[in-house]
Structure formats: C-alpha cells, structure tokens
Amino acid sequence: MQERLMTLQEEAVEKIEHASSLKELQDIRVEYLGKKGPITEVLRGMGKLPAEERPKMGQLANEVREVITTKVDSKQEKLEREELDRQLSNETIDVTLPGRPIRQGNAHPLTAVIEEIEDLFIGMGFSIAEGPEVETDYYNFEALNLPKNHPARDMQDSFFITEDLLLRTQTSPVQARTMEKHEGKGPVKIISPGKVYRRDTDDATHSHQFMQIEGLLVDKNIRMSDLKGTLTLFAQKLFGEEREIRLRPSFFPFTEPSVEVDVSCFKCNGSGCSICKRTGWIEILGAGMVHPNVLEMAGFNSKEYKGFAFGMGPERIAMLKFGIDDIRHFYANDLRFLEQFKRA
Amino acid sequence: MLVSYNWLKEYVDLDGIQPDELADRITKSGIEVEGIESLSQGISGVVVGHVEKCEQHPNADKLNVCQVKIGEGEPVQIICGAPNVGTGQKVPVATVGAVLPGNFKIKKAKLRGEISNGMICSLEELGVDVKMVPKEFADGIYVMQEDAEVGKNALSYLNLDDHILELGLTPNRADCLNMIGVAYETAAVFERKLTLPKPSLNESDESASDYISVKVDDFGDNPYYGAKVIRNIKVGPSPEWMQSRLISAGIRPINNVVDITNYVLLEYGQPLHAFDYDQFGSKEVLIRRAEAGEKVMTLDEEMRKLEPHHLVITNGTKPVAVAGVMGGADSEVSDETTTILLEAAYFKPSIVRQASKDLGLRSESSTRFEKGIDRNRVYESANRAAELMAEIAGGEVLEGIVEAGPRFVDPEKVIVRGERANKVLGTNIETKEIHEILERLGFSYEHENDEFTVEVPARRTDITLEEDLIEEIGRIYGYDKIPATLPEGATTTGGLTPSQMKRRKVRRYLESVGLYQALTYSLTTKKKANAYHGLATEEEPAFISVSMPMSEERAVLRRTILPQLLEVIQYNQNRQLNDVAVYEIGSTYLTDEGNLAKHPNEHQKLAAIFSGLWHFHPWQQEKKPVDFYVVKGVLDGLFKKLGVSGRIEYQQVKREGFHPGRTAIVLLDGKQIGVIGQLHPADQKEWDIKETYLFELDLDIVFDTDVEPVVYSALPRYPSISRDIALILDQDVSAGEVQSGIKAAGGELLKEVSIFDLYEGEHMDEGKKSVAYSLTYYNPEKTLTDEDVEKVHSKVLSYVKEKFNATMRG
Ligand SMILES: [Zn+2]
C-alpha cells in the first residue's frame, strides 16, 4: 500500500510537471485528488489493514495528498502567470503614437510681460492702478504740467474726440488721478499698465495703439538715487542679475530732473551687438523726479513730498526679450504667433 | 539741429576732442546726438584746380577739353561736360587716383579720342545733397571762390572735411537750436574756453530813424521789435564759407541777404526778416493783430487769410508779414534790392505757434519762436546781421536801431539750495562743486549760507524753478555718480485689487481650457461698431468718433469686442488655421446716455470666439467640432470658478447678427450680463469664415457682485438614493426650465438633478421630445429609506406632469 502511494505520488508529480495548460492541470487535480481518485481509494482500503498500521498509512496518504496539492497549486500559479503574460503581450501598444491632445491656450506675450513687471513691483510693495482710456485734456495733459499750447504737446499727436476728451496718450493720467485720491497724504506707490493711443501710422516700429506701464512712488524722502536703485533692481530681475543701468538727462514735462534709462545689453553684456546698436546699452525707460507742479496740482505739498516716476513700453520689452521684429505681430493675433508664448 | 564740428570749433576750444567723444559726452549730459556724419564720405584726392584753357571737344558738341593746373607741374587735360565750365575758373578737381563718395575711383580715361586726366566735380558728385546745391550750380560743376589756392585740398574750402552732429533736442532745450547755445553747452561739459562773436559796426552818419519808425500795438504780443536799415546792398551769391555752413546745416543758399538772415538764425537762434525797404510801402512799421478776413500774400505766393488772433507786421495800412511765421511776397528781397529793412524781434511764443498751426506753415523761424528764443540776444543778432551785410554784401549800415520795447530784460533769479539739491538727487555734492558747476554753465549767481541765487540767462527759458537748477547741477555733476539706493519709509503691502485678481483668475481659467488671449484695436469702423452689440438704437444712438481719424478703419470706438475677434478668425482661417478659440479682455465704450460731450462709459468686457474643431485626435477617430454646448461648457466652468454658477440663467433670445435659434442672454441674479450664441450663418458667409460661436460678458458686473466665501460642506455620511425619470415634453418646453422645476419641487432632500439623455425624432410624436433626468436624494441626518424617497419623488412627478404637461416614458 505504501508502495502504491509512492507510485501514485511519482506518477502525479510527473504529470503535473508535464501539464501545459490550466485545463490539463485541472484534470490532473480531479484525477488524483478527486473523490473518485486513487488516494481516496487507498484510504478507503485502509480498513483492511491491521489497526496498528492504519495511523501510519493514513499519515502517509495525507502527506502524498499534500505534496500533490502543493505541486498542482504552484503549477497552476505558473500557468496562470504564463497565460496572463501571453494575454498582455497581445495588448502591446505603440507608445510612439501621439497622445490625446489636451487643450491649452496661453496669455498674449504683452500680457505676459506686463504681469511679470506687475508682480516684480508688487513684490516691492506697489499696487496696480488703472484708469479710463478716454481721458480729459486736464488729466492727460494739464495735470501733468502740459498746459494748452505747450510745445511738448507736439511730442505726441493725439486722437481727440471732443475739444476736451481724447484717447489717452500715456498712462500717466492714472498717476494724477491716484495722487488726487490720496488727498495729499503719501505714500503713493503704484504701477499703472494699460492701452494708450497716438496718431502714428502703423508700421514695423509704430502702432497707433500700444501698451504702456508706468510706476509712481511719492513719499516724504524720495531721492533720485532711490529711482536708480529701484530701476536697477527691476532691470536685474527682468533681464538678469548682471544688468546695470545708466541714466541720461532727458526731458518729460511731468518730471524734473528727467532721465532716459539704459540697461546694459543682455545679449552681448555690453560689448556691442546688433540689438544694442553696438553701444552696449539699450534704452528701455523714461523716468524722473515728479515735477513739483504735478505734485501740487494733485494736492501734494511739494516742499514736504517728493517722488519718482518711470514709464516703459511692454511692446519694446517683449520685442527685445523674445526677438520680435515687427510691432504689428502683437495686434494681428496670428495663432502661430500667439502659441509661441506658452512658457512666457 | 545739425551742428558742424568745424563751425563749433570757432567758439569752443575743442583741441583734442574728436567728434565721437564730443557726441558721447554731450549725449551723456543731456543733449542726445543721434548721429554723426562725416561729410568727406571717404573722399580723397580732390584738389583746387585752375582752368587755364577751355575749348570745345573736336568730336563732341557737349564736351569741353580743359587744361587745368592742379599744382606745381604742367596743367593736365580734363574733359568736362558741364555747361558752366569756363576759362579762368577755380574748380574742385578729382585727380587720377582720387576717390569720390560711393568708393568711386577716378582713372585716366579717353573720351571720344581725347585723354582725360581726372574730373571737374559738381557738388553733387562730392556728396552734397542735390536739394542743398545753390541754383546757379545745380546743373553743372561747382565754381570756387577766386582766392582758392591751386593744388590745395578742395574739401577744406568747401567745408567737406567736416563732421556733422545731429542733435535730437528735447523741447526744453531750445537754447541748443543755435551754434552759440551748443557752444555754451559744450564749454560747460568739457570745461573749455568759450569765444563768442562780438559784432562791430561801422555805421554811417545817417540815422535809421530818418528812414523808419516802429510802433507796437501790444507789448504782450510783441515785447520787442528792432529795425535796422542797410543801404547800398548788392544782392549776389554769398561767400563759399557761408554757403558751405548753410549747406551743412541743411539750408540751401539763396543770395547773400537771405543767407545772412539764415546764418544768424543758425548762429544766434534769432529769426530775422529782411524786407526790401523800397517795396515796403511806407516809412512806418506797425505791429498789430490782424483784422478778421484780412489777407496777405506770403513769400510762397499763397494768399493767406488772417484772423484776429494772428499777429502781423504792417506798413501802417496793410500786412507785410505774419509775425514770426513768414514774410510777404510784396516786400521780398530781389536781385534789384538795394536797401534792406532788417527786422529783429521777440514775439510771444504762443501767438507764433497758433499762427503757424493755423496757416500750416512750419519753418526754422517759427519753431524757434515757439520754443523760446534768447530775449536778450535779439539786439545783438540784428547787429551781427548788419555787420555781415556790410562785410559780404557791401552794405552801408545806417546809425542806430529803431525799436519798440525794452532792448534787454533783467534775468530771472532762481534760488537753489545745496542741501535740497543733495536731498533730491540722493548725493553728497559739496558746495565747492556746485560753485564750479554753475560757473561751467556760465550762470551768474550769488551765494549766501546754503543758497545760490542764480541769474538765469535768457537763453535758458527752461529754467524757472529750483528743480530745474537741481537738474543742471545733477547732469553736469554726472548721473553716473548718483548712488543706487532703495526708498526708505513705511513699508506698503501692495498687491492686486479683488477685481484685478478675478481678472487674472478668468485669464488663467480660459487659457487652461484652451483659449489663446488676443489683443485687438479699440478703434474700428462705424459698421463694425454698429454690429453684435445687442443695443437698441434708442439706447445707443451716437458713435464715439475721433475727430480726425487716420482712416475709416480706425474711426470710432468699439462697442463690443466681437467684431474684432471675428477679424481674428477671418485672419487665421484665411491662412488655413481653421481651429480658432481666442478670448480678449478689454474695454468697450458707450456714450453717457447719448451725450457726446460727457465722459463715455468704459465697460470691461470678456469676449471669446470659437470656430472649427474643439477637439481633434485623428488616429483614434476623435473629432469634436465646436458647438453651442462646447462654448456654454466653457462659460459654466468660468462661473464655477467665479463662484456664481448657481445664480446664472440662460434665456433664449433673438439678436441681430446671431443664429435665431441658438442664442441666449446670460443673466446673473436676473440681471443681464452677456450673450452667448452662434454667429448668424448669413454673417458667417459675409465674413467668409467657418461656423462660429461666441460669447461676451460684462466683467464689471460679474466682478462687482458679492460672492459667498468658500465654506467646506461635510462629506456625505449616509448613502444617497438615485431615481431616473424619462419625461416626454413638448418641444418648446426647455429642459433647463423643467430641471429647475424638479429641483424646486424636490425640496431639501433632492440634492441634485442632472440631465443624462435627450431623445428627439423617430419614435416620438410630432412636437415632442424625451428628456431623461437623474435625481439624487440625500438626507444628511440619516440613511434614507425607499419610503422616504418615494414620498418626495411622487410629489416631484405629479408636479412636473401638471406644470410642464409631461408624461412619463417607458
Ligand atoms: Zn548688445
């Protein structure tokens, strides 16, 4: 009987090893371990054995059963795994095919530039001030120290709507309006971005509508050196840590002294290239100390308060930053142009 | 202003300062040099020649064979085609081996059998702008003055060995619109010695006052008028040195008298006018306002109609010149003129500006008057011109100047405090340095304690305040020496306003769902301003137009952004870029209740436009064209972002320019905030674009509305129960209306109602549709039982049956 059991075990193990499908394995399982299987049969025939041999034989039979079960189970696991592998290998896809597109737009490059500048100054404690695009002669000119018949009015030919209303030629009227709202009390610390309009024929470098971004800081002890420091910081954040700035005397009716601000060329680091016209410097801003007349007209005591103001053109900055050669691109809204500024 | 380096050298010691350095330094101290032009343009080998013999070419009618002496040796033979060449002339000769502008090399040549050893030059061939060439030499060679030395470099005689600096002057620096002013500036910048002309006159015994009297009606208009009389003038060409200086400054030489007034204009900045005394018509100059309708024929032969706000020079009866703008044709200097009445005056800038604007006449003179001339240099300028008329036109200067108004005025005094200057600039400039700077600038001043009381020279009309002097001190001190500091004072937080934050949020959202931001023009055509705005005519009858539009395309302010965005679609689809989804945030403009004189209302709008495919993934056969619901989905998401979605309603409407069945107005709390819809197919055809959908919202209203703060609501603790119903509805009953009805009828337990199916067409009765809703019931207090739900649900069912005439399907 013992022999019979060992033969059964050998036979079964061999069959299990040779089984090549789950079906075959299932048959083996039924054949050896089923109720009508040989092991059950052996156990049934145990009654014929002497009583003292029965436990030993019973144990042996169970051991054989255990061995076969373990073998079948592990074989089953192996076959299942193989079957899954086969199945998965049929599911192989071409990973080089394009993904399902996710729609993604982006900001206009001018907005990107303006927001970058806004955020830079917000970090320095400035607020963003906005105002109307249709302005009165007073806010656009007079409050900025440009009385009627002032020759400097020729600098910017304007679109008048009525004798008194015009499309603003600069965002500076926002400065005048904001200062008025402060009723003579500083500090005033604003950045004013927005659209402005001038009578220019649209071409590669001119646009009758364009953007401007201006800054104003009015407080009790503001010095021109503060303007220089603030704009240096600005230039370094916008164009790189190595940037320097240079102030050149200039003229704007609403500032005195007035300066043009050049930034050392970020392309050539000052050695001269086509972007800086071989001078090493790029003109980027107009700035100055707020003219006492402007302060007084807006209700500030110019003996007590001083201020600085600066202004720049986002178009120019975007053209420099991104190497854009024609200002009209900004307003044509060609998708092939717009979509290039995802990272901006 | 064009400045000749050689001319400037006469007034300022420029020893060791090359044109480049000059340009660089004066640019840094405030007068921008926009360019430097070398007049020689690489010319070499051009010498003074003497035409000893000039005969007609044996084989060519139009050519001459000249024997020209060009130095020590024998004369050389040169063939010349100019009609004005002749024996005895001194001429510029480009010798063999010479180089002319454009790298044109002169070689030995044979012309119709005759050898030519060089070329006799015209000014144009020497690089002079043809417009500047004096008339008598316009069609031929240039004939030089007789005393030119043979064999010497011709360029120095012609002042072509010069450099011209082009100054880009800001309006405040009118003092540099003349050589003397530039000389003052240069001397200050380089700390160099200044030598200015001092006119000296040999006046005759006869007095000018016997010839003329001067009367000024209103010294407010004309604070000073001076007249000199010069007799025995011989009108003719002016000398070479004067011609070449005028040419280098961009003024064409005419004759000696006119050239002298122009020369003094350039030198002193003083506009002068020379009348032909004998044609003046009287012995009296009267300066007055013009009478309405009065006329004068100006030098350019135009009859000018005058107004009472124009100032005129008259001969007592009729105008002979428009003050500071242009002289009259009747008293113009001609070849026959022998006696000159020379005017040197100071006119009020604004009156000249107005007249030059009205008459459309802008001249070198009027610009200078407008920007402010040196009030205290008028008298000297008259003497300078008289001196030159004696010197080069043989004139006899009559004694004295006949004048009205004070010859000189006291200079304005402006105080600058050293401490204040340092406080404004953020510097530590020492008192000693301020002294030096003021001296360099040529300002007289007194100094007491910390105060410098400066007598501002009349040429510096831009200096009236302490700040103006601080600027002078700062720029001469050098802005590069100003340190970089950061503002001291109370810290401010700064940041964005709620509305600015919301705008950024809207932008980020739209971009994240796939829209590009566009930026278009505010000015548009009347036609475009009149479309898609959805306003009734009585609401908005008037266009806001610019008074002198540059074109019809940019004539009026937009009332809606939509036409501009349609242009964007058109532009892109014309370039085969068919799938377009863009938005713009910007202003639109409406009059204040039709009143054009009032400040218009600017509305911040958000507009978006969609055309072509919304989603396209070809190899997996996914293709979704834009439709109404795509656009509505974008809007729904936007309202969620802004926290107002529960308060939004869409109402079907018909609107001009939109598809009659696919358009809705959008309401927030019942108030209209915008429109969404499909572009009318007829418009679509007219624009020549593909099927297009759009929306526009008034952001001001949306941003101004109060929004509930975000408050967390507890996650459900009990299961919810769903019930689906399919309702057969009349076609004209809107699904949304029924959805709201169900929601209302379901009360508190009904958490959510969504639409999950729509069926129209086959198997449906005419005029009917089937809409399937999914209702979710939930009680936050306990687990709902079927009985709880059934109670409410049956109420809902009977409500919709009754209210919407709905029947249950299936
Ligand atoms: Zn560079």
Side-chain angles (χ1 to χ4, degrees):
Chain A
M1 190 170 253
Q2 183 174 357
E3 223 167 276
R4 166 90 177 125
L5 275 171
M6 290 322 288
T7 316
L8 273 174
Q9 177 173 333
E10 250 167 69
E11 216 178 86
V13 168
E14 187 165 338
K15 275 193 182 165
I16 290 165
E17 264 161 23
H18 284 97
S20 60
S21 73
L22 284 167
K23 168 89 180 60
E24 215 176 306
L25 191 68
Q26 185 56 26
D27 291 346
I28 296 167
R29 187 194 290 270
V30 173
E31 184 183 343
Y32 288 93
L33 303 174
K35 281 183 184 140
K36 287 172 190 162
I39 296 176
T40 318
E41 210 171 287
V42 169
L43 286 171
R44 260 190 218 127
M46 271 209 314
K48 292 171 196 158
L49 288 175
E52 63 275 19
E53 280 184 31
R54 275 184 215 160
K56 197 179 152 215
M57 214 37 76
Q59 193 187 350
L60 183 67
N62 277 330
E63 273 170 22
V64 170
R65 192 186 191 91
E66 195 66 18
V67 168
I68 296 174
T69 308
T70 311
K71 289 271 178 198
V72 168
D73 284 353
S74 78
K75 180 73 181 185
Q76 176 160 356
E77 204 174 305
K78 186 166 169 265
L79 287 177
E80 271 171 3
R81 178 73 206 185
E82 278 168 13
E83 169 110 4
L84 183 64
D85 284 349
R86 246 190 326 277
Q87 194 187 326
L88 291 190
S89 94
N90 288 336
E91 290 174 10
T92 300
I93 56 162
D94 180 351
V95 296
T96 65
L97 281 166
R100 190 174 190 271
I102 296 296
R103 291 194 62 92
Q104 211 184 2
N106 56 258
H108 191 280
L110 291 178
T111 310
V113 165
I114 289 171
E115 273 195 10
E116 189 179 355
I117 296 169
E118 282 178 353
D119 290 346
L120 241 149
F121 282 101
I122 286 173
M124 297 189 227
F126 284 74
S127 305
I128 310 300
E130 293 164 302
E133 290 169 29
V134 177
E135 261 300 356
T136 58
D137 188 276
Y138 177 78
Y139 283 110
N140 194 72
F141 293 124
E142 283 183 51
L144 301 167
N145 204 25
L146 268 158
K148 289 209 165 71
N149 271 323
H150 192 290
R153 282 199 179 193
D154 291 351
M155 284 167 94
Q156 21 176 277
D157 263 4
S158 1
F159 287 112
F160 272 90
I161 290 167
T162 66
E163 192 132 316
D164 188 47
L165 291 171
L166 72 157
L167 292 177
R168 66 179 179 192
T169 56
Q170 47 197 355
T171 51
S172 327
V174 181
Q175 302 187 4
R177 285 175 179 274
T178 312
M179 277 194 277
E180 266 184 16
K181 278 191 206 125
H182 275 73
E183 296 180 330
K185 278 195 199 68
V188 181
K189 228 172 158 181
I190 53 160
I191 293 295
S192 48
K195 291 175 187 154
V196 298
Y197 306 83
R198 291 191 196 168
R199 294 181 65 85
D200 266 327
T201 307
D202 297 341
D203 62 23
T205 52
H206 296 87
S207 182
H208 74 278
Q209 175 186 319
F210 57 101
M211 292 288 187
Q212 219 178 40
I213 185 158
E214 291 189 317
L216 171 74
L217 171 51
V218 175
D219 207 344
K220 286 190 175 154
N221 295 307
I222 298 302
R223 303 154 298 181
M224 201 157 145
S225 56
D226 298 331
L227 171 67
K228 200 171 179 180
T230 304
L231 292 182
T232 304
L233 210 60
F234 159 77
Q236 290 172 342
K237 287 200 175 159
L238 197 67
F239 294 108
E241 287 304 319
E242 288 92 64
R243 298 284 70 76
E244 293 168 44
I245 65 163
R246 175 176 88 170
L247 307 183
R248 275 186 294 115
S250 188
F251 170 76
F252 306 108
F254 32 90
T255 47
E256 185 73 29
S258 302
V259 290
E260 300 272 6
V261 184
D262 299 335
V263 175
S264 61
C265 182
F266 50 83
K267 255 274 147 45
C268 65
N269 270 321
S271 61
C273 67
S274 62
I275 289 186
C276 57
K277 292 182 192 141
R278 262 155 270 288
T279 62
W281 296 94
I282 302 174
E283 187 181 320
I284 272 192
L285 295 124
M289 301 301 289
V290 182
H291 196 289
N293 292 355
V294 174
L295 287 171
E296 295 285 342
M297 270 186 283
F300 276 81
N301 180 348
S302 66
K303 301 221 166 25
E304 196 184 345
Y305 280 98
K306 285 185 279 152
F308 66 66
F310 55 86
M312 65 197 117
E315 275 89 349
R316 176 160 169 74
I317 290 175
M319 287 168 95
L320 286 167
K321 257 183 106 109
F322 307 127
I324 298 165
D325 56 355
D326 191 324
I327 200 170
R328 286 170 294 198
H329 284 313
F330 293 117
Y331 296 95
N333 298 297
D334 190 311
L335 288 178
R336 295 163 300 185
F337 174 79
L338 294 177
E339 70 184 9
Q340 291 180 35
F341 304 97
K342 288 234 154 52
R343 286 180 298 142
Chain B
M1 174 78 188
L2 300 172
V3 172
S4 150
Y5 173 83
N6 287 348
W7 190 355
L8 186 63
K9 233 165 40 179
E10 257 178 36
Y11 308 130
V12 198
D13 171 17
L14 290 179
D15 206 25
I17 302 166
Q18 292 309 307
D20 284 354
E21 193 194 347
L22 175 66
D24 189 48
R25 291 273 298 275
I26 67 173
T27 296
K28 276 187 194 146
S29 59
I31 305 290
E32 193 181 353
V33 178
E34 291 177 337
I36 308 174
E37 192 198 349
S38 159
L39 290 188
S40 66
Q41 298 175 53
I43 299 176
S44 68
V46 180
V47 300
V48 179
H50 183 240
V51 183
E52 302 205 318
K53 221 162 98 187
C54 179
E55 288 169 335
Q56 207 196 313
H57 191 292
N59 306 322
D61 284 354
K62 289 190 174 159
L63 295 179
N64 298 293
V65 181
C66 308
Q67 305 303 322
V68 186
K69 195 159 169 59
I70 55 169
E72 292 299 303
E74 286 300 303
V76 294
Q77 174 166 304
I78 296 174
I79 311 297
C80 179
N84 64 337
V85 68
T87 310
Q89 287 169 342
K90 292 276 177 64
V91 290
V93 176
T95 54
V96 172
V99 181
L100 293 185
N103 201 24
F104 174 51
K105 292 195 180 81
I106 301 299
K107 293 179 192 132
K108 199 169 179 174
K110 217 177 201 178
L111 288 163
R112 299 270 180 115
E114 291 290 332
I115 297 282
S116 187
N117 288 305
M119 182 171 109
I120 304 179
C121 302
S122 68
L123 286 181
E124 207 184 339
E125 282 156 346
L126 293 172
V128 174
D129 182 351
V130 66
K131 292 196 290 286
M132 293 299 138
V133 175
K135 271 207 181 94
E136 62 264 40
F137 306 125
D139 301 317
I141 54 157
Y142 183 69
V143 181
M144 300 171 69
Q145 65 196 45
E146 283 166 22
D147 57 2
E149 219 177 304
V150 172
K152 290 269 161 155
N153 184 355
L155 297 187
S156 49
Y157 284 96
L158 299 170
N159 196 35
L160 288 176
D161 58 348
D162 199 0
H163 285 83
I164 304 299
L165 276 62
E166 190 186 348
L167 306 188
L169 291 172
T170 50
N172 60 326
R173 291 308 302 272
D175 62 299
C176 285
L177 277 170
N178 58 75
M179 295 304 294
I180 290 178
V182 177
Y184 271 113
E185 178 72 16
T186 311
V189 171
F190 288 93
E191 291 188 82
R192 290 287 176 106
K193 198 171 159 331
L194 192 64
T195 320
L196 295 179
K198 282 205 184 70
S200 71
L201 290 174
N202 250 332
E203 292 183 336
S204 74
D205 298 339
E206 235 177 314
S207 178
S209 57
D210 296 339
Y211 276 68
I212 201 80
S213 68
V214 172
K215 187 168 173 266
V216 169
D217 245 12
D218 182 348
F219 286 109
D221 291 344
N222 181 192
Y224 178 77
Y225 193 98
K228 285 191 84 74
V229 178
I230 301 104
R231 281 197 317 204
N232 297 333
I233 289 279
K234 263 180 65 189
V235 176
S238 52
E240 213 150 70
W241 63 268
M242 183 176 275
Q243 288 198 357
S244 60
R245 281 184 177 178
L246 291 176
I247 290 172
S248 67
I251 295 177
R252 184 182 198 173
I254 309 287
N255 60 47
N256 47 11
V257 173
V258 176
D259 290 358
I260 287 166
T261 57
N262 282 332
Y263 186 81
V264 177
L265 175 87
L266 293 173
E267 189 176 41
Y268 278 74
Q270 172 66 44
L272 299 168
H273 189 69
F275 296 99
D276 183 333
Y277 178 81
D278 298 316
Q279 306 302 320
F280 194 72
S282 81
K283 294 176 79 172
E284 165 193 14
V285 182
L286 170 67
I287 300 93
R288 61 161 167 83
R289 292 294 185 101
E291 283 153 22
E294 210 169 6
K295 284 180 184 156
V296 62
M297 170 88 82
T298 44
L299 285 176
D300 53 1
E301 310 274 303
E302 289 264 345
M303 191 56 95
R304 306 285 177 173
K305 216 177 129 225
L306 303 167
E307 302 287 338
H309 56 264
H310 298 146
L311 188 67
V312 288
I313 316 301
T314 72
N315 59 9
T317 42
K318 64 180 181 73
V320 291
V322 183
V325 179
M326 199 179 254
D330 293 349
S331 51
E332 185 181 3
V333 172
S334 70
D335 289 351
E336 280 74 48
T337 301
T338 56
T339 306
I340 297 288
L341 172 63
L342 179 73
E343 162 196 296
Y346 182 89
F347 302 114
K348 188 175 156 191
S350 59
I351 207 162
V352 174
R353 180 182 159 88
Q354 187 64 48
S356 106
K357 214 168 135 187
D358 292 351
L359 303 178
L361 283 171
R362 265 275 158 95
S363 62
E364 296 270 352
S365 295
S366 69
T367 356
R368 281 177 176 79
F369 274 124
E370 279 175 35
K371 293 184 174 165
I373 58 169
D374 186 340
R375 168 70 177 84
N376 284 346
R377 219 150 58 191
V378 184
Y379 171 73
E380 192 182 308
S381 315
N383 285 342
R384 174 67 169 150
E387 181 193 35
L388 288 168
M389 285 194 190
E391 196 180 304
I392 66 172
E396 178 194 357
V397 182
L398 299 195
E399 183 272 324
I401 186 163
V402 184
E403 53 193 352
R407 198 178 280 176
F408 301 110
V409 291
D410 290 337
E412 295 291 328
K413 285 183 182 165
V414 179
I415 294 172
V416 63
R417 292 158 294 165
E419 196 201 340
R420 171 82 179 173
N422 278 319
K423 268 194 172 160
V424 170
L425 298 170
T427 48
N428 284 307
I429 307 176
E430 285 173 31
T431 310
K432 195 178 117 254
E433 279 179 278
I434 298 179
H435 280 284
E436 282 167 15
I437 289 168
L438 293 175
E439 263 150 38
R440 280 165 71 177
L441 286 163
F443 294 173
S444 311
Y445 64 94
E446 277 165 21
H447 179 234
E448 210 183 321
N449 299 323
D450 187 39
E451 286 187 2
F452 294 82
T453 307
V454 177
E455 289 191 354
V456 179
R459 67 192 148 87
R460 292 301 303 269
T461 50
D462 58 317
I463 300 176
T464 56
L465 299 172
E466 184 172 20
E467 274 68 19
D468 300 325
L469 283 173
I470 293 175
E471 173 167 47
E472 291 300 300
I473 293 168
R475 72 183 183 91
I476 298 296
Y477 173 72
Y479 285 163
D480 46 347
K481 286 190 240 162
I482 293 180
T485 57
L486 286 177
E488 291 157 7
T491 43
T492 45
T493 45
L496 299 171
T497 64
S499 151
Q500 288 162 351
M501 278 191 272
K502 285 181 190 170
R503 187 168 56 211
R504 285 198 179 185
K505 202 181 205 180
V506 167
R507 286 205 17 244
R508 304 264 187 280
Y509 165 75
L510 291 172
E511 287 155 19
S512 73
V513 300
L515 281 79
Y516 288 96
Q517 187 190 20
L519 194 52
T520 63
Y521 295 132
S522 308
L523 287 169
T524 184
T525 62
K526 283 190 175 168
K527 190 178 172 204
K528 282 172 191 155
N530 219 15
Y532 311 109
H533 52 63
L535 298 159
T537 357
E538 59 273 19
E539 282 180 282
E540 187 50 43
F543 287 113
I544 303 172
S545 18
V546 293
S547 43
M548 282 186 304
M550 298 184 70
S551 70
E552 284 302 304
E553 282 297 299
R554 310 276 167 244
V556 299
L557 282 170
R558 64 186 182 187
R559 295 162 169 174
T560 156
I561 306 176
L562 293 174
Q564 257 78 344
L565 292 186
L566 284 164
E567 278 178 11
V568 173
I569 290 204
Q570 193 183 45
Y571 172 98
N572 282 290
Q573 290 188 343
N574 277 345
R575 287 160 182 77
Q576 281 77 51
L577 302 159
N578 292 327
D579 308 330
V580 188
V582 295
Y583 79 94
E584 178 171 356
I585 294 174
S587 287
T588 61
Y589 317 78
L590 296 177
T591 60
D592 187 350
E593 294 176 336
N595 188 342
L596 280 168
K598 282 195 179 168
H599 213 131
N601 295 318
E602 287 176 36
H603 298 263
Q604 185 182 200
K605 293 272 178 77
L606 160 66
I609 197 152
F610 305 71
S611 190
L613 296 177
W614 177 248
H615 175 68
F616 187 42
H617 184 42
W619 73 267
Q620 288 189 318
Q621 287 85 45
E622 295 172 27
K623 190 171 173 176
K624 170 72 186 159
V626 168
D627 63 20
F628 183 90
Y629 299 104
V630 163
V631 179
K632 191 180 175 194
V634 169
L635 260 189
D636 288 341
L638 178 71
F639 292 133
K640 275 204 186 98
K641 267 275 182 225
L642 292 170
V644 295
S645 53
R647 295 149 62 187
I648 293 290
E649 204 187 322
Y650 294 85
Q651 258 174 31
Q652 187 116 22
V653 290
K654 292 196 182 351
R655 180 183 281 203
E656 189 76 31
F658 289 79
H659 189 301
R662 297 182 179 176
T663 300
I665 51 167
V666 187
L667 303 106
L668 170 65
D669 298 333
K671 188 175 179 191
Q672 187 178 330
I673 55 163
V675 67
I676 170 174
Q678 184 187 338
L679 180 69
H680 197 292
D683 288 53
Q684 181 194 319
K685 205 172 155 201
E686 206 183 309
W687 281 94
D688 191 20
I689 55 179
K690 301 190 181 335
E691 192 169 303
T692 292
Y693 294 83
L694 26 83
F695 71 74
E696 187 170 49
L697 298 181
D698 192 319
L699 284 185
D700 290 330
I701 306 177
V702 181
F703 289 171
D704 282 349
T705 189
D706 289 329
V707 176
E708 295 287 321
V710 177
V711 176
Y712 153 82
S713 56
L715 301 179
R717 269 190 291 170
Y718 307 100
S720 57
I721 292 179
S722 286
R723 291 273 194 281
D724 292 348
I725 52 172
L727 299 175
I728 295 170
L729 298 166
D730 292 339
Q731 272 292 4
D732 58 1
V733 173
S734 77
E737 207 181 329
V738 176
Q739 191 179 11
S740 321
I742 294 172
K743 189 93 216 320
E748 279 190 348
L749 287 187
L750 182 54
K751 212 71 208 150
E752 210 184 305
V753 184
S754 60
I755 297 171
F756 70 92
D757 191 35
L758 170 74
Y759 185 77
E760 294 167 302
E762 231 184 314
H763 309 304
M764 292 299 299
D765 288 342
E766 182 82 11
K768 296 280 185 186
K769 64 182 171 190
S770 158
V771 185
Y773 296 86
S774 178
L775 289 64
T776 307
Y777 294 97
Y778 174 70
N779 186 338
E781 312 289 330
K782 64 179 188 103
T783 304
L784 281 176
T785 61
D786 277 346
E787 294 85 76
D788 297 334
V789 172
E790 207 40 58
K791 255 197 269 169
V792 191
H793 193 63
S794 58
K795 233 168 68 190
V796 169
L797 291 184
S798 53
Y799 173 79
V800 289
K801 276 181 195 157
E802 194 179 324
K803 171 84 181 173
F804 302 108
N805 188 29
T807 49
M808 298 286 287
R809 189 169 177 236

